[in-house]
Amino acid sequence: MQQLIASLFLTAFDNPLLGQREDQARMPLAPLTQQGDRLAFTTDSYVIDPIFFPGGDIGKLAVCGTVNDLAVSGAQPLYLSCGFIIEEGFSGEDLVRIVTSMAHTAQQAGVQIVTGDTKVVPRGAADKLFINTAGIGVIPTEINWGASQIRAGDKIIVTGTLGDHGATILNLREKLGLEAELSSDCAALTPMIAPLRAIDGVRALRDATRGGVTAILHEYAQASGCGMVIDEAALPLKSAVRGICEILGLEALNFANEGKLVLAVAPQAEQAVLDALHAHPLGKEAVTIGEATASTQVRLRGIFGTSRLLDLPHNEPMPRIC
Amino acid sequence: MQQLIASLFLTAFDNPLLGQREDQARMPLAPLTQQGDRLAFTTDSYVIDPIFFPGGDIGKLAVCGTVNDLAVSGAQPLYLSCGFIIEEGFSGEDLVRIVTSMAHTAQQAGVQIVTGDTKVVPRGAADKLFINTAGIGVIPTEINWGASQIRAGDKIIVTGTLGDHGATILNLREKLGLEAELSSDCAALTPMIAPLRAIDGVRALRDATRGGVTAILHEYAQASGCGMVIDEAALPLKSAVRGICEILGLEALNFANEGKLVLAVAPQAEQAVLDALHAHPLGKEAVTIGEATASTQVRLRGIFGTSRLLDLPHNEPMPRIC
């Protein structure tokens, strides 16, 4: 079983580094130092349920999520590791489908899966399949993006409709039966981010996954000492997502996304950033939704001009969203 | 809950890189290029059951295992990521104990845990706790260890008693009730490996974890095109491990170790390597157990001189051994 899986991975993820067949991948440092002066290194475990969903699957998610966590630092993502925890009896057909999806996504994102591990656990010790990926990228010398760079007056931009991933999974899990328009936005964002490196005044990027835009706004506020004020009327929402929120009394700003950035940019960079984002298919609905302020509060300004505190949700709205 | 855990990790693993609080750790490349010319990158998921055992716990194992997979390439292990998958309701006290153990082990091994992720899954979706670690190290320019370097006539050395980890877990899981002497050998091997870098004629190192020494011998044979012949009488075994094997009809060579190397070294390097290993507490029982041959078979030579094929076990003897 272990050997079958190893051979499946070696075939699907085929690249010279993986083919070394040692206990570790070995990559020359010299080409990295030509691309930048810092390594970026990140990891996430993916435990999403269901493992297949409109717009993606756990394998695509495991590549995109880690690639995006690298790319938001300005890094060029280069190498991924992957660790599979598989429940005994898991469908071989589904495993092939997921591994093929990972390989395809990695190729599109320009990263190589260079090392991996598989553990099969007895039935009942894990639910179907969990995937961990860790990623390495290189940050170009001139780039210094980070939440601590944000200043009062900076514009807050999102790159498209919010909450699509969270609403899609919620619809499946709670069997709400809404079919139309609901699809995860799961995507690797590197190609959309790359042109931003040439623009002066980009302060910080994060992808709004678990915890949604709300979590990112709070992280930005905490790291920068600034407040954030967001215009409710400016939030781009698909009508199906808006519908789910109204029916269930939920806040789309708290929903997970898997292909949307929240950017903070200097006011003089706003138009150049929007133009660059609009030039990419994944960013064509990018829009400014608010700004950083001198206060320390995170606030949502309603349609009639009154504003309220935008708190972090006390409970995770849904486990196994990613 | 997520925030409590994040704060536990930040406190326990405290280091400047982790403290950046971005979605990725960022490490300057310049110091790495002074240490060598290649990155080593590896990952493993740890699903061991039970999570506490004589000689270690899942946290210590998750650090040592990945550190060792880096160190056997000759690399200096530098940075680890960690991903936790925690079953809802898991004891907070046990989590603190495990995280503290990881922090202590990382400090002893000279690595920094610089990035991490936590997922809490509903009760029954995972059994207690799984940990993934990925690791980055730098391989010194002059080192080129690897299984493909092995040549006929090379000596095969192990660094101490075999099967201690596997026998310890088997004893616990099967409630064999043997207490004396049984303790996992779980340890970070970097300090024992470092002096070997100065010795000419070291061909390959691997740590004999899942699949035991048998698996490594087959990997060596496959990568080098050489055969392997091992002397049964030379195998260092604790009497408790020997006893378990005799009672259950099992082969200690197939048992997992978590702190033992299998080395292939040129004949002229044998004594220098043994001397260097004996100088370290973890290697004081190092001994030559056989050699690489011109045939392609992996054979075990018995006490009376006859030899038999040493096959890979058809089934994993025990799931969740690491």
Side-chain angles (χ1 to χ4, degrees):
Chain A
M1 172 76 168
Q2 301 276 358
Q3 282 161 351
L4 279 174
I5 294 169
S7 131
L8 165 64
F9 292 166
L10 286 173
T11 308
F13 302 153
D14 181 42
N15 64 65
L17 293 166
L18 188 64
Q20 293 167 339
R21 301 296 293 270
E22 293 288 343
D23 283 349
Q24 66 302 116
R26 305 173 184 186
M27 291 89 71
L29 267 167
L32 307 189
T33 57
Q34 284 160 23
Q35 293 183 60
D37 65 344
R38 283 152 295 160
L39 283 185
F41 183 34
T42 192
T43 191
D44 263 323
S45 298
Y46 299 86
V47 298
I48 192 166
D49 179 39
I51 55 177
F52 297 101
F53 47 86
D57 58 69
I58 189 172
K60 180 181 180 188
L61 191 66
V63 172
C64 292
T66 294
V67 161
N68 291 344
D69 278 346
L70 293 173
V72 295
S73 70
Q76 184 64 41
L78 296 172
Y79 307 116
L80 295 189
S81 67
C82 71
F84 281 72
I85 299 173
I86 304 174
E87 185 183 15
E88 190 187 351
F90 183 73
S91 149
E93 199 177 308
D94 284 351
L95 187 62
V96 169
R97 211 173 132 199
I98 287 162
V99 169
T100 306
S101 167
M102 287 186 82
H104 177 73
T105 309
Q107 190 174 37
Q108 284 198 311
V111 293
Q112 292 181 304
I113 298 172
V114 296
T115 188
D117 172 60
T118 307
K119 295 290 187 308
V120 178
V121 299
R123 215 177 279 260
D127 184 23
K128 299 184 283 288
L129 175 67
F130 302 144
I131 303 177
N132 176 284
T133 50
I136 298 176
V138 174
I139 306 175
T141 308
E142 67 281 9
I143 299 295
N144 193 18
W145 297 344
S148 62
Q149 308 289 322
I150 298 171
R151 304 171 206 174
D154 284 353
K155 300 296 179 181
I156 306 298
I157 293 172
V158 295
T159 55
T161 55
L162 301 179
D164 296 358
H165 178 77
T168 302
I169 304 303
L170 185 66
N171 181 43
L172 285 173
R173 286 254 290 276
E174 302 299 321
K175 300 186 174 56
L176 300 179
L178 301 170
E179 298 268 326
E181 257 199 281
L182 276 177
S183 176
S184 169
D185 54 349
C186 179
L189 300 174
T190 326
M192 184 172 70
I193 293 172
L196 304 179
R197 295 194 200 118
I199 302 174
D200 265 351
V202 175
R203 311 280 202 214
L205 274 65
R206 291 209 178 164
D207 60 328
T209 55
R210 188 167 46 157
V213 173
T214 306
I216 305 296
L217 295 172
H218 279 271
E219 289 168 24
Y220 280 175
Q222 197 173 7
S224 66
C226 294
M228 302 277 145
V229 60
I230 300 303
D231 285 311
E232 194 163 16
L235 299 177
L237 295 178
K238 286 192 171 138
S239 59
V241 175
R242 194 183 296 275
I244 283 193
C245 288
E246 285 177 3
I247 292 167
L248 301 178
L250 296 172
E251 178 64 81
L253 279 172
N254 298 343
F255 278 21
N257 309 271
E258 291 295 342
K260 296 292 157 39
L261 299 175
V262 182
L263 300 92
V265 308
Q268 66 274 18
E270 180 185 7
Q271 198 53 53
V273 166
L274 286 171
D275 291 347
L277 293 171
H278 292 156
H280 192 277
L282 293 172
K284 60 185 199 301
E285 296 177 272
V287 63
T288 302
I289 60 165
E291 59 188 42
T293 65
S295 103
T296 58
Q297 295 178 334
V298 178
R299 300 190 72 88
L300 185 67
R301 194 157 46 201
I303 299 168
F304 303 110
T306 55
S307 83
R308 62 175 175 86
L309 284 177
L310 185 64
D311 290 324
L312 278 173
H314 286 296
N315 300 310
E316 196 168 24
M318 196 167 31
R320 303 185 66 187
I321 189 74
C322 61
Chain B
M1 172 77 168
Q2 301 276 358
Q3 283 162 349
L4 278 175
I5 294 169
S7 130
L8 166 64
F9 292 167
L10 286 173
T11 308
F13 301 153
D14 181 43
N15 65 66
L17 294 165
L18 188 65
Q20 293 167 340
R21 300 297 292 271
E22 293 288 343
D23 283 348
Q24 66 302 119
R26 304 173 185 185
M27 291 89 72
L29 267 167
L32 306 190
T33 57
Q34 285 161 20
Q35 292 183 59
D37 65 344
R38 284 152 295 160
L39 283 185
F41 182 33
T42 192
T43 192
D44 263 322
S45 299
Y46 299 86
V47 298
I48 191 165
D49 179 38
I51 55 177
F52 298 100
F53 47 84
D57 57 70
I58 191 172
K60 182 181 179 187
L61 192 65
V63 172
C64 292
T66 294
V67 161
N68 291 344
D69 278 347
L70 293 173
V72 293
S73 71
Q76 185 63 40
L78 296 172
Y79 307 116
L80 294 188
S81 68
C82 71
F84 281 72
I85 298 174
I86 304 173
E87 185 183 16
E88 189 187 353
F90 183 73
S91 149
E93 200 176 308
D94 284 351
L95 186 62
V96 169
R97 209 172 134 198
I98 287 163
V99 169
T100 305
S101 167
M102 287 185 82
H104 177 73
T105 309
Q107 191 175 35
Q108 283 198 310
V111 294
Q112 291 180 303
I113 298 172
V114 297
T115 188
D117 172 60
T118 307
K119 295 290 187 307
V120 178
V121 299
R123 215 178 278 262
D127 183 23
K128 300 185 283 287
L129 175 67
F130 302 144
I131 302 178
N132 176 284
T133 50
I136 297 176
V138 174
I139 305 175
T141 308
E142 69 281 7
I143 299 295
N144 193 19
W145 296 344
S148 62
Q149 308 290 323
I150 297 171
R151 303 170 205 173
D154 284 353
K155 299 296 177 180
I156 306 298
I157 294 172
V158 296
T159 56
T161 55
L162 301 178
D164 296 357
H165 177 78
T168 302
I169 303 303
L170 185 66
N171 181 43
L172 285 173
R173 287 255 290 277
E174 302 300 320
K175 300 185 175 57
L176 301 179
L178 301 170
E179 299 267 326
E181 259 198 280
L182 277 176
S183 175
S184 169
D185 53 349
C186 179
L189 300 174
T190 326
M192 184 172 68
I193 293 172
L196 304 178
R197 295 194 200 118
I199 301 174
D200 265 352
V202 175
R203 311 280 202 215
L205 274 65
R206 290 207 178 165
D207 59 327
T209 54
R210 188 168 46 157
V213 173
T214 306
I216 305 296
L217 295 173
H218 278 270
E219 290 168 24
Y220 280 174
Q222 198 172 9
S224 66
C226 293
M228 302 278 145
V229 60
I230 301 302
D231 284 311
E232 195 164 15
L235 300 177
L237 294 178
K238 285 193 172 137
S239 59
V241 175
R242 194 183 296 274
I244 283 193
C245 289
E246 284 177 3
I247 292 166
L248 300 178
L250 296 172
E251 178 64 80
L253 280 172
N254 298 343
F255 277 20
N257 309 272
E258 291 295 342
K260 296 292 157 38
L261 299 175
V262 181
L263 301 92
V265 308
Q268 66 274 18
E270 180 185 8
Q271 198 53 54
V273 167
L274 286 171
D275 290 346
L277 293 172
H278 292 157
H280 193 277
L282 293 173
K284 61 186 197 302
E285 295 179 274
V287 62
T288 302
I289 60 165
E291 58 187 41
T293 64
S295 103
T296 58
Q297 295 178 336
V298 178
R299 300 190 72 89
L300 184 67
R301 194 158 45 200
I303 299 169
F304 303 110
T306 56
S307 83
R308 61 174 176 87
L309 284 177
L310 185 64
D311 289 324
L312 279 173
H314 285 297
N315 300 309
E316 197 168 21
M318 195 167 31
R320 302 185 67 187
I321 189 74
C322 61

